[in-house]
C-alpha cells in the first residue's frame, strides 16, 4: 500500500547534471519542486572525466549560465585548471575547458540545491510513475511513498538497468558501484515507450605517487584564466597541471592480443558504444595506421591522489589493464586505484519527445540527459535546464520555450535528438551547428540573458549588468565609427609592429579594426583610450566589427530558416492522406510529428520533394479547404 507523501508542482527524478539544472530552473521560476535521488551524497557526481567544457560543450555551459543556470558558477568555484582551447583559430570554435576538483564540485552543488527556495531534495528510489487519464501525475518510490505533481522530469543518467562490464565480469550497477534503477525502466516499457541500450566506458584511475611525471609533458592552465559564469569576478587560484603521454606499439600489442576479452569492443553485448568517445580498443582497431594515441593524466582534485587516465577508456579485464599501463611512458609503475570499466544502460528513443522534452505519449512527463541518448555532463545539463524551464512554464501558464538552431547549441542538440534521433551516444560537436559563427563563447549572454530574465531565473542584478554591458558595446561601436585615424608616424609605427601595412590615407577606426591582423587593443593605442571599457566589452566589440560581414550573411541564412519554422504543421494532419509522399517520408513524419515545415525538412528520410508536397498540401490541400 502506498501512502501520500506530498504534492508538488514539479518532481525531478535524479540529481546528476541534468537533474540539478532541471530542479534549479523549475524552482527559480516559482514551481514547488521535489528532487528525488538514489544517494544525497552523489549530487552532481562526475562518474567519468573530471572536467567541464571543451569544444561546443564549453559554449553550452555558457548558455546555461546565460539562462540563469548553475553549472558555470559551480565549476568556477571548484576548478583546479582553466584553459581556453583553439585560441589560434576563429572565435566560432574557441571554447573554455576546466579541470574540476570533483569532491568540491559536488559539495558546492549540493549546498546550492539545499539552499534553493522552492526546492526540496530527498533520497529515494522511484519505482513507477503515477498515470491518471493518460497524464503523468506523480511517482511512487520503492518505500511506497506516493508523491504527486503536475509535471515529472526523468533524469536517470546511466542508472536505468545499468550493468558494469569488465572483461568477462559483469554485474548490475550504476557508476561508482551505485544502485541501479530497474523497476522504473520496466515501467516505462510497460507504458509503451521504445527503449534501447547504449554503453559507455571509463579509464582506470591511478595513484599520483606512482606516476613518473618526468617522462610526460606538462600541460599548464592559462596564466590569465577566463570563466564560465558571467557572474564570476576575477579570482586567481593556484592551478594544478595536467600531463601528456602517449601509447606506443607495445601498448597496441597488449590490446590487440586481448581484444577478445574486451566487453566494450567484442560486440557480445547489445548496447551501442560512443562513436565520438571511443574506448582504447576501438581506437587501436579503427585507427590502426596511427603509431600512438594521446593520453592525458588529469588530477581528480586537490585533496586526492587519484589521477584520471584520459584517453584510455577500456573494458578489458583488470589484469590486462595493469599490463597495458606498464607500456606507457610515465605509467610503468602506476598503481591502479580504480580499474576502468564499461557501463551499459537503458535509453529512451528521443524521437518520442517534443522539442520541449515532454514525451509525446504521456503529457506531463519529461526526460532529460543521458536517458535521451546523449553523452557528457554538459549535454545533460543543457537538456535539464530546458526540461525544468518547460515543466515549470506549463504549470505556471507561460509559453513553452524552444531554442532554435541559430539561438544556442542547446537548441541544436535538442532539435537533433527529437528530429533525427541517435544511433549511439550523442555528443555535441561544433560541426553539428550550421550557424556556429553566431553561437560563440563570447556572446552567450547576448543571445540568452534576456530570455532567462523574462523567465524569472536571471536575477535583477545580473540583468542590469548585462544591459550595461550591451550599452557599452553599442556605444563603443558608435564611437569607433566617428574616430578618424590619420597616417602619422606614430600610427604607422604601431601598424608595423602589428605586421600590418602602413596607412597611406585617413581611415575610420571602425573600418581599421576589420583588418585581421589588428586587435581592439592595437587600434586603441592609435586613439584616445577609453578606461571605462572592460575586457569583455573589448572582445565583443572587436568580434562584432571584425566579423560583421560574415555575421550578416549568417543572419540572412537564419531569416530564411525561420521562415520555414514559421510554417506550422497542423497537429491533426494525416500523412497517409497526402498523395505523392514517399513511403519512408510518411513513416518518419508520423513518428516524429514535426511542429513545423523546417523541422520536417531535417528528418532523415524526408527529402526536398516530400517537403514541397507537404507545403502544397498545407497551403492548398485538404487542410486549407476544411479551414474555409
Amino acid at each position: 500500500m502506498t501512502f501520500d507523501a506530498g504534492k508538488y508542482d514539479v518532481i525531478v527524478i535524479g540529481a546528476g547534471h541534468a537533474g540539478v539544472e532541471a530542479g534549479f530552473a523549475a524552482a527559480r521560476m516559482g514551481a514547488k519542486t521535489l528532487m528525488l535521488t538514489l544517494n544525497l551524497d552523489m549530487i552532481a557526481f562526475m562518474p567519468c572525466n573530471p572536467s567541464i567544457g571543451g569544444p561546443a560543450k564549453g559554449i553550452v555551459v555558457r548558455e546555461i549560465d546565460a539562462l540563469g543556470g548553475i553549472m558555470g558558477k559551480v565549476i568556477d568555484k571548484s576548478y583546479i585548471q582553466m584553459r581556453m582551447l583553439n585560441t589560434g583559430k576563429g572565435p566560432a570554435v574557441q571554447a573554455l575547458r576546466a579541470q574540476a576538483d570533483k569532491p568540491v564540485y559536488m559539495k558546492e552543488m549540493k549546498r546550492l540545491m539545499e539552499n534553493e527556495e522552492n526546492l526540496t531534495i530527498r533520497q529515494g528510489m522511484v519505482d513507477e510513475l503515477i498515470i491518471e487519464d493518460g497524464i503523468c501525475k506523480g511517482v511512487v518510490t520503492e518505500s511506497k511513498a506516493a508523491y504527486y505533481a503536475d509535471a515529472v522530469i526523468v533524469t536517470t543518467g546511466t542508472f536505468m538497468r545499468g550493468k558494469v562490464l569488465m572483461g568477462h565480469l559483469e554485474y548490475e550497477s550504476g557508476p561508482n558501484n551505485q544502485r541501479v534503477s530497474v523497476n522504473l525502466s520496466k515501467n516505462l516499457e510497460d507504458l509503451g515507450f521504445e527503449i534501447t541500450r547504449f554503453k559507455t566506458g571509463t579509464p582506470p584511475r591511478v595513484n599520483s605517487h606512482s606516476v613518473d611525471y618526468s617522462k610526460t609533458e606538462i600541460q599548464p592552465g592559462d596564466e590569465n584564466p577566463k570563466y564560465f559564469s558571467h557572474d564570476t569576478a576575477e579570482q586567481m587560484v593556484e592551478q594544478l597541471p595536467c600531463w601528456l603521454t602517449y601509447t606506443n606499439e607495445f601498448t597496441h600489442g597488449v590490446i590487440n592480443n586481448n581484444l577478445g576479452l574486451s566487453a566494450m569492443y567484442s560486440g557480445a553485448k547489445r548496447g551501442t558504444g560512443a562513436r565520438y568517445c571511443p574506448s582504447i580498443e576501438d581506437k587501436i582497431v579503427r585507427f590502426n595506421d596511427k603509431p600512438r594515441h594521446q593520453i592525458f593524466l588529469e588530477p581528480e582534485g586537490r585533496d586526492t591522489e587519484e589521477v584520471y587516465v584520459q584517453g584510455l577508456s577500456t573494458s578489458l579485464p583488470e589484469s590486462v589493464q595493469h599490463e597495458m599501463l606498464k607500456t606507457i611512458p610515465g605509467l610503468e609503475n602506476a598503481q591502479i586505484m580504480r580499474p576502468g570499466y564499461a557501463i551499459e544502460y537503458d535509453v529512451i528513443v528521443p524521437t518520442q519527445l517534443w522539442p520541449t522534452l515532454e514525451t509525446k505519449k504521456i503529457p506531463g512527463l519529461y526526460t532529460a540527459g543521458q536517458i535521451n541518448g546523449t553523452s557528457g555532463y554538459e549535454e545533460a545539463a543543457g537538456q535539464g535546464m530546458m526540461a525544468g524551464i518547460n515543466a515549470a512554464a506549463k504549470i505556471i501558464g507561460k509559453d513553452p520555450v524552444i531554442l532554435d538552431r541559430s539561438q544556442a547549441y542547446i537548441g541544436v542538440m535538442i532539435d537533433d535528438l527529437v528530429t533525427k534521433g541517435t544511433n549511439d551516444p550523442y555528443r555535441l560537436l561544433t560541426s553539428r551547428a550550421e550557424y556556429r559563427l553566431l553561437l560563440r563563447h563570447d556572446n552567450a549572454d547576448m543571445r540568452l540573458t534576456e530570455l532567462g530574465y523574462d523567465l524569472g531565473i536571471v536575477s535583477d542584478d545580473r540583468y542590469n549588468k548585462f544591459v550595461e554591458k550591451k550599452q557599452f558595446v553599442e556605444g563603443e561601436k558608435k564611437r569607433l565609427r566617428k574616430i578618424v585615424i590619420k597616417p602619422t608616424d606614430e600610427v604607422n609605427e604601431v601598424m608595423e609592429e602589428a605586421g600590418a601595412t602602413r596607412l597611406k590615407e585617413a581611415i575610420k577606426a571602425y573600418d581599421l579594426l576589420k583588418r585581421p591582423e589588428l586587435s581592439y587593443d592595437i587600434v586603441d593605442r592609435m586613439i584616445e583610450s577609453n578606461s571605462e571599457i572592460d575586457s569583455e566589452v573589448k572582445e565583443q566589440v572587436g568580434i562584432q566589427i571584425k566579423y560583421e560581414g560574415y555575421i550578416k550573411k549568417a543572419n540572412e541564412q537564419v531569416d530564411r530558416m525561420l521562415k520555414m519554422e514559421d510554417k506550422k504543421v497542423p497537429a491533426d494532419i494525416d500523412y497517409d492522406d497526402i498523395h505523392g509522399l514517399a513511403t519512408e517520408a510518411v513513416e518518419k513524419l508520423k513518428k516524429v510529428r514535426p511542429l513545423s515545415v523546417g523541422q520536417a525538412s531535417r528528418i532523415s528520410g524526408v527529402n526536398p520533394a516530400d517537403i514541397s508536397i507537404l507545403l502544397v498540401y498545407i497551403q492548398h490541400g485538404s487542410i486549407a479547404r476544411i479551414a474555409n
Side-chain angles (χ1 to χ4, degrees):
M1 291 288 291
T2 62
F3 67 94
D4 190 333
K7 173 72 169 69
Y8 296 83
D9 295 320
V10 176
I11 295 173
V12 180
I13 304 173
H17 302 280
V20 294
E21 295 292 352
F24 185 85
R28 273 293 172 97
M29 289 175 66
K32 184 183 177 185
T33 304
L34 170 68
M35 182 185 297
L36 290 165
T37 179
L38 290 171
N39 188 340
L40 285 175
D41 296 324
M42 301 294 285
I43 290 175
F45 175 63
M46 294 179 175
C48 202
N49 55 316
S51 69
I52 296 290
K57 292 167 172 277
I59 300 174
V60 168
V61 182
R62 291 278 283 181
E63 292 172 352
I64 292 167
D65 183 76
L67 287 166
I70 49 178
M71 177 176 265
K73 294 179 178 65
V74 175
I75 187 59
D76 284 352
K77 289 186 177 180
S78 58
Y79 78 93
I80 58 177
Q81 185 189 105
M82 196 78 78
R83 292 182 73 184
M84 180 64 79
L85 306 181
N86 299 326
T87 52
K89 299 180 181 179
V93 294
Q94 292 178 14
L96 198 58
R97 185 179 189 271
Q99 290 297 130
D101 188 317
K102 287 173 65 170
V104 175
Y105 185 92
M106 293 166 59
K107 181 180 178 181
E108 179 62 20
M109 190 67 81
K110 186 181 180 186
R111 185 188 68 80
L112 286 177
M113 294 295 101
E114 289 175 337
N115 289 285
E116 180 57 37
E117 190 178 359
N118 289 329
L119 179 62
T120 300
I121 57 174
R122 196 162 292 174
Q123 188 164 290
M125 166 83 80
V126 174
D127 272 359
E128 63 178 297
L129 303 171
I130 298 172
I131 308 297
E132 297 177 0
D133 299 323
I135 299 172
C136 190
K137 289 294 184 180
V139 304
V140 177
T141 68
E142 64 178 352
S143 61
K144 302 306 178 185
Y147 295 95
Y148 294 89
D150 295 313
V152 172
I153 307 171
V154 183
T155 68
T156 47
T158 60
F159 284 84
M160 289 218 307
R161 287 197 284 222
K163 181 177 287 188
V164 164
L165 312 168
M166 189 194 310
H168 295 306
L169 172 67
E170 60 178 72
Y171 55 92
E172 284 192 351
S173 175
N176 206 38
N177 286 329
Q178 294 293 297
R179 295 180 64 198
V180 295
S181 173
V182 176
N183 292 335
L184 180 59
S185 189
K186 185 177 183 302
N187 182 223
L188 289 168
E189 275 187 327
D190 292 342
L191 290 169
F193 286 99
E194 184 182 353
I195 305 289
T196 188
R197 294 283 278 181
F198 280 175
K199 61 186 175 186
T200 188
T202 66
R205 277 76 157 176
V206 300
N207 190 312
S208 181
H209 292 310
S210 66
V211 177
D212 184 352
Y213 290 108
S214 68
K215 296 181 180 180
T216 67
E217 302 170 27
I218 192 169
Q219 303 286 299
D222 292 341
E223 278 189 36
N224 298 302
K226 293 190 175 182
Y227 301 99
F228 283 101
S229 177
H230 300 83
D231 283 337
T232 301
E234 187 172 337
Q235 52 181 5
M236 296 302 293
V237 301
E238 182 186 357
Q239 298 190 58
L240 302 184
C242 295
W243 307 84
L244 172 64
T245 184
Y246 297 89
T247 63
N248 52 59
E249 59 180 311
F250 301 107
T251 318
H252 301 181
V254 170
I255 295 167
N256 279 319
N257 291 338
N258 292 279
L259 275 178
L261 301 177
S262 168
M264 192 78 167
Y265 179 76
S266 65
K269 303 303 171 186
R270 66 188 180 98
T272 305
R275 178 184 308 181
Y276 298 105
C277 189
S279 66
I280 189 63
E281 298 97 288
D282 272 337
K283 290 179 188 176
I284 301 307
V285 173
R286 287 163 54 187
F287 310 109
N288 56 20
D289 58 322
K290 290 195 173 183
R292 65 180 190 173
H293 294 277
Q294 289 183 328
I295 302 295
F296 290 95
L297 306 178
E298 302 175 342
E300 296 223 332
R302 296 183 187 278
D303 298 318
T304 176
E305 296 305 321
E306 281 193 75
V307 174
Y308 185 88
V309 188
Q310 171 78 301
L312 210 66
S313 174
T314 184
S315 61
L316 285 163
E318 185 175 352
S319 60
V320 179
Q321 294 183 39
H322 282 281
E323 186 181 354
M324 180 170 57
L325 284 173
K326 291 180 186 300
T327 67
I328 299 173
L331 300 178
E332 295 90 345
N333 298 306
Q335 299 172 4
I336 294 179
M337 298 181 73
R338 305 182 202 227
Y341 62 88
I343 186 166
E344 191 175 77
Y345 53 97
D346 280 357
V347 168
I348 279 186
V349 175
T351 50
Q352 299 171 102
L353 308 174
W354 296 115
T356 58
L357 297 181
E358 185 176 23
T359 65
K360 297 171 182 175
K361 190 175 292 292
I362 299 178
L365 177 64
Y366 298 75
T367 61
Q370 284 187 268
I371 187 177
N372 289 344
T374 57
S375 67
Y377 314 139
E378 304 86 356
E379 288 91 340
Q383 292 172 70
M385 187 82 195
M386 299 314 298
I389 286 172
N390 281 310
K394 185 171 186 174
I395 289 160
I396 64 181
K398 288 196 172 188
D399 291 335
V401 178
I402 300 173
L403 300 176
D404 67 54
R405 299 181 69 90
S406 67
Q407 200 172 4
Y409 268 100
I410 297 173
V412 172
M413 169 179 60
I414 292 176
D415 183 64
D416 281 349
L417 291 171
V418 304
T419 304
K420 303 174 184 177
T422 183
N423 295 322
D424 49 66
Y426 177 99
R427 180 179 182 177
L428 259 175
L429 307 166
T430 53
S431 59
R432 295 190 190 272
E434 57 269 57
Y435 309 112
R436 55 185 171 273
L437 182 57
L438 303 179
L439 308 180
R440 307 184 307 272
H441 167 93
D442 64 272
N443 72 346
D445 56 341
M446 298 292 183
R447 291 184 273 123
L448 298 169
T449 301
E450 194 89 42
L451 173 59
Y453 182 71
D454 290 343
L455 291 168
I457 308 174
V458 171
S459 68
D460 288 340
D461 181 58
R462 163 74 171 276
Y463 181 70
N464 290 335
K465 289 178 181 177
F466 160 73
V467 171
E468 185 179 61
K469 174 184 173 180
K470 197 172 179 181
Q471 289 171 345
F472 267 124
V473 169
E474 291 306 314
E476 181 61 4
K477 286 164 65 177
K478 287 180 181 177
R479 187 176 82 96
L480 293 176
R481 281 192 179 97
K482 295 177 182 178
I483 294 175
V484 176
I485 297 179
K486 296 179 180 179
T488 64
D489 290 340
E490 292 80 4
V491 164
N492 278 323
E493 185 177 335
V494 175
M495 294 289 287
E496 288 178 347
E497 285 178 12
T501 306
R502 293 170 63 93
L503 288 183
K504 294 181 179 179
E505 56 186 34
I507 187 174
K508 295 282 183 67
Y510 188 97
D511 295 324
L512 187 61
L513 186 50
K514 291 182 179 181
R515 294 195 182 185
E517 66 271 24
L518 299 180
S519 67
Y520 177 97
D521 286 330
I522 291 173
V523 173
D524 197 40
R525 285 175 57 189
M526 305 177 194
I527 59 180
E528 184 179 348
S529 177
N530 187 337
S531 59
E532 295 182 10
I533 297 178
D534 66 21
S535 59
E536 281 197 8
V537 172
K538 290 179 181 180
E539 178 183 46
Q540 194 61 217
V541 169
I543 290 174
Q544 286 190 21
I545 293 175
K546 198 172 294 294
Y547 294 91
E548 184 178 50
Y550 297 102
I551 291 171
K552 182 181 178 181
K553 287 181 180 178
N555 282 322
E556 288 171 354
Q557 292 175 338
V558 169
D559 289 340
R560 290 194 291 271
M561 180 269 289
L562 291 178
K563 288 178 182 177
M564 293 286 279
E565 299 300 323
D566 286 340
K567 292 181 170 64
K568 301 303 179 185
V569 177
D572 60 349
I573 192 169
D574 183 356
Y575 293 106
D576 290 318
D577 191 43
I578 305 177
H579 300 295
L581 284 179
T583 302
E584 183 182 6
V586 171
E587 179 186 321
K588 295 291 181 66
L589 288 165
K590 287 167 69 174
K591 182 177 182 179
V592 175
R593 292 159 63 192
L595 300 178
S596 69
V597 174
Q599 186 186 1
S601 70
R602 294 189 293 274
I603 300 173
S604 301
V606 177
N607 61 44
D610 297 314
I611 295 300
S612 296
I613 293 169
L614 179 62
L615 277 169
V616 170
Y617 183 81
I618 292 173
Q619 294 169 0
H620 306 292
S622 302
I623 292 174
R625 288 197 297 273
I626 291 170
N628 290 330

